[in-house]
Each structure stands twice: as C-alpha cells, then as structure tokens.
Amino acid sequence: MLSSAAYAVLWPLTVIRITLAIGLMRIASSIPILKERIKRYNEKFLLVPYEDFWQSWCSWKMLRGVMQLTLGDLNKTARLGSPAPDCELVSTDQKECRLLDLARGERPLNDFTKVVRDFADVADFKVIYISEAHPSDGWKWNNNVEIAQHKCLKDRFAAAEILKSSGCPAPVIVDTMKNEASMAYGAWPERLFIIQQGKIVYEGGTGPYNYDLTEVQRWLEEYKAEII
C-alpha cells in the first residue's frame, strides 16, 4: 500500500493520465481505420465480439471502472515475495474461513481454473468471487449474464452459484461485503495469484489486458518438474 504522501502525488497524476488516455482513445475510435484496429485488438483480449462492449467503450462508466482498477492496484497490500494477506472469506455454504486455511501444506494455492485438471495433483485451486466487473446496473456489457452489483452477501452468494452452475472446475469462495480480499490483492476485475507456505510466489497483472494464463501454466510446470 502507498504511503499517504506518495498517494497524494501519484493519484492525481494517475487520474489525469487515465482521463487523457481514454479521451484520446475516444477520438481515435471516431476515425474509421483506427476504429477497426481498436475493435480487433480489444476482441483479442476481451474474448467477446465488439458488439458486446463497444456501446460503453470510452464512456464515463468505463472511465470510472479503469480508475477503480488502477486505485485497487495502487492500494493493494499483496506483493510478490511478501506474506500473503490472510483475508476473511465465506464459503458458498455460508461458513466463514480465511484464505490461507484453504492451502494444504507446501502445495501452491492458485485461483486459476483452466489448468486445474492438469495440476490438481500438485496445487490447490480456488476462485474468489468478488464484486461484479460489469453489473447490469453499472458498466454493463451486452450479452452478459444479468447480475446487479451485490448489495449484500446474499446477492454475492447467488452470483457465485451462477458461476458454479456454469461448470467452474475449482471451488468457489466468496469475498465478504467488506471486500477485504479484493482490496488486499487488487483483484478487481480479475487477477491471478499463487500462494505457497503463506507467501506470494506469483503475482499476475490485472485483467483483462494483463491477465496472462500462460505465465501461471509455466510456473506450475516448473514447480511440478522440481518435485516429481
């Protein structure tokens, strides 16, 4: 987490930088040849057709969302090589737990689901459900699951159940309404971490643009080769 003095200097500069960047992107998006390139680039990273996100592209809601993402990253306490924050969570059967309680021995704890089946023999995988990235009452995308921003823990449980029913291969744990895990790990809208023996051994970038699934896979491949 930044000191008060560093925050006072960096945050206004960051707001100006983000506002200018989104303003320039909005101007560029009005130029046909650049518009098509921007659409293709974002489809690659967002993995959805441009029709789903273009309506809100460079909007005030997008600006607020990018600022929320950046603020979360600046204020997070989870850092590579540092002790992992042991945040309060709740299981979907409404039992309170702590993040580090979910790890077993020296096995890495990771919240990535795509590689679960390949590495379940050497790592524990968990998905922590946090606040919505694109709620129906906020920065909404088209053709998305209609979920309003959670007003209470019951809402978050209901949203987590939708994820579970979609076939998520990893256990889903819910962040509390204090959003302790989301803030400590700068996790909004999505982020990957690997925790081993209470220490952060891999810290991914914020999604979607810096959400690199191959990095997690490489780390686990190297770890598995070491212990087998």
Side-chain angles (χ1 to χ4, degrees), residues 27-207:
I27 293 171
S29 298
S30 65
I31 302 172
I33 188 170
L34 295 180
K35 180 178 180 179
E36 293 305 313
R37 291 181 180 179
I38 291 170
K39 284 180 177 180
R40 289 196 298 270
Y41 177 82
N42 281 280
E43 282 185 327
K44 175 183 176 181
F45 283 95
L46 303 179
L47 303 178
V48 294
Y50 76 88
E51 291 90 349
D52 291 355
F53 63 83
W54 197 252
Q55 185 176 355
S56 63
W57 179 251
C58 294
S59 64
W60 285 110
K61 289 181 178 179
M62 176 179 169
L63 176 61
R64 288 196 296 269
V66 174
M67 287 185 177
Q68 179 182 342
L69 181 156
T70 307
L71 182 61
D73 191 51
L74 287 174
N75 284 332
K76 76 179 189 298
T77 55
R79 303 286 177 181
L80 182 64
S82 67
D86 194 14
C87 304
E88 179 183 349
L89 302 170
V90 186
S91 64
T92 51
D93 57 0
Q94 304 186 28
K95 294 180 180 178
E96 294 182 358
C97 61
R98 288 278 175 180
L99 177 62
L100 298 186
D101 294 338
L102 305 175
R104 292 183 289 164
E106 297 183 0
R107 288 160 61 96
L109 175 65
N110 180 262
D111 65 352
F112 175 43
T113 60
K114 187 178 180 181
V115 294
V116 171
R117 294 182 181 88
D118 291 339
F119 298 99
D121 57 333
V122 295
D124 299 313
F125 296 83
K126 299 292 184 292
V127 173
I128 311 301
Y129 204 105
I130 59 175
S131 58
E132 297 296 328
H134 299 287
S136 57
D137 56 350
W139 182 12
K140 179 182 177 181
W141 282 8
N142 297 327
N143 300 315
N144 200 6
V145 180
E146 292 282 329
I147 303 175
Q149 196 56 269
H150 320 136
K151 302 297 191 298
C152 61
L153 202 53
K154 182 179 179 181
D155 293 343
R156 193 159 289 175
F157 284 141
E161 288 297 337
I162 293 174
L163 176 61
K164 288 173 63 178
S165 67
S166 70
C168 178
V172 179
I173 313 296
V174 175
D175 197 6
T176 69
M177 294 308 293
K178 293 183 292 184
N179 297 315
E180 182 181 346
S182 181
M183 290 189 292
Y185 286 84
W188 190 91
E190 58 183 350
R191 198 166 199 154
L192 299 166
F193 282 90
I194 301 176
I195 300 169
Q196 187 178 34
Q197 293 183 288
K199 187 176 181 179
I200 296 172
V201 294
Y202 170 82
E203 175 188 346
T206 52

